[in-house]
Amino acid sequence: AQSVTQLDSQVPVFEEAPVELRCNYSSSVSVYLFWYVQYPNQGLQLLLKYLSGSTLVKGINGFEAEFNKSQTSFHLRKPSVHISDTAEYFCAVSESGGYQKVTFGTGTKLQVIP
Amino acid sequence: KAGVTQTPRYLIKTRGQQVTLSCSPISGHRSVSWYQQTPGQGLQFLFEYFSETQRNKGNFPGRFSGRQFSNSRSEMNVSTLELGDSALYLCASSLQGLNTEAFFGQGTRLTVV
């Protein structure tokens, strides 16, 4: 069974500064990886996903993530954050192929400070 | 295109009661998954339905059940409610399965008193 660890429960960062949200996963098979964002009182929205191919994945709102198989990581980055990026971010993993269930991490709250 | 619709948005129930939550997926989506979200546990997978059949199941007790109708709408039922069932219940729909691309509803916030 797969699992996901988001090491930071909260990350404060000043506006226009870069940010990295960390995600590590565990799985005995090939995986698909995802990052979702949840704004207050909203459902989750897909930011980006890695299924195969290039290990650097670009998503919406200027976010990107890099799949590192040797370190079993999929960290999310943005070079310059905005107030509107304040939200909770979830990393998720599933086994590749077929229609597998998706396991989510416990989330990282990004607080952008003006 | 309408998004995923969950009803009701808020619900207050008493311990021991049962509750039914509803989810209408995006038109054309055949996969519907349910998650329980709590501050301490994050998102916990409940189950997934595809074309009216349960395809995947999480580790929840039998008090949690679901079903999917021929129009892909799904319901989730929780019987004999416990205080610990208080949570945000999220529904997600996708064309084929959650590990492709999923679209989430705004959730139903259930409070058990």
Side-chain angles (χ1 to χ4, degrees):
Chain A
Q2 69 266 23
S3 66
V4 180
T5 302
Q6 292 184 248
L7 296 166
D8 305 303
S9 59
Q10 293 190 57
V11 173
V13 62
F14 286 104
E15 193 174 16
E16 297 184 8
V19 69
E20 178 180 84
L21 305 183
R22 297 180 293 169
C23 171
N24 288 88
Y25 69 92
S26 173
S27 176
S28 57
V29 298
S30 297
V31 297
Y32 294 157
L33 293 157
F34 309 83
W35 275 99
Y36 282 84
V37 60
Q38 185 178 32
Y39 298 103
N41 299 315
Q42 300 288 323
L44 278 69
Q45 178 185 5
L46 182 68
L47 270 179
L48 49 80
K49 60 184 177 183
Y50 170 80
L51 302 183
S52 64
S54 173
T55 56
L56 182 62
V57 180
K58 293 191 183 298
I60 62 171
N61 301 339
F63 284 93
E64 64 180 33
E66 185 156 19
F67 171 53
N68 188 319
K69 189 175 181 180
S70 62
Q71 298 191 359
T72 60
S73 68
F74 191 56
H75 302 331
L76 181 70
R77 301 185 183 98
K78 186 170 183 178
S80 175
V81 296
H82 302 286
I83 291 289
S84 59
D85 293 323
T86 295
E88 190 159 18
Y89 293 79
F90 292 89
C91 181
V93 64
S94 77
E95 293 181 7
S96 63
Y99 305 112
Q100 309 294 334
K101 68 178 183 180
V102 175
T103 300
F104 284 81
T106 51
T108 298
K109 289 183 179 176
L110 175 63
Q111 183 180 5
V112 180
I113 304 163
Chain B
K1 203 175 198 181
V4 178
T5 303
Q6 291 188 246
T7 56
R9 287 291 311 278
Y10 301 92
L11 206 50
I12 299 175
K13 289 286 188 179
T14 305
R15 272 182 302 174
Q17 287 187 312
Q18 74 162 15
V19 66
T20 299
L21 312 182
S22 179
C23 173
S24 293
I26 290 173
S27 178
H29 285 190
R30 296 161 65 190
S31 168
V32 175
S33 296
W34 289 89
Y35 282 84
Q36 181 194 67
Q37 184 178 19
T38 56
Q41 299 294 320
L43 279 87
Q44 301 288 310
F45 174 73
L46 282 154
F47 28 66
E48 181 209 6
Y49 286 87
F50 183 83
S51 293
E52 302 179 66
T53 301
Q54 189 179 85
R55 187 161 68 177
N56 281 303
K57 189 176 186 306
N59 298 320
F60 277 79
R63 300 185 297 107
F64 292 81
S65 63
R67 60 178 174 168
Q68 187 180 33
F69 302 94
S70 58
N71 62 357
S72 292
R73 188 177 72 86
S74 177
E75 288 183 347
M76 190 192 90
N77 185 277
V78 187
S79 62
T80 319
L81 283 166
E82 300 176 358
L83 294 179
D85 297 333
S86 295
L88 181 67
Y89 290 88
L90 292 166
C91 166
S93 79
S94 60
L95 276 171
Q96 295 289 344
L98 208 65
N99 66 343
T100 53
E101 180 171 356
F103 297 83
F104 282 79
Q106 290 184 288
T108 293
R109 184 162 298 280
L110 172 65
T111 302
V112 182
V113 298

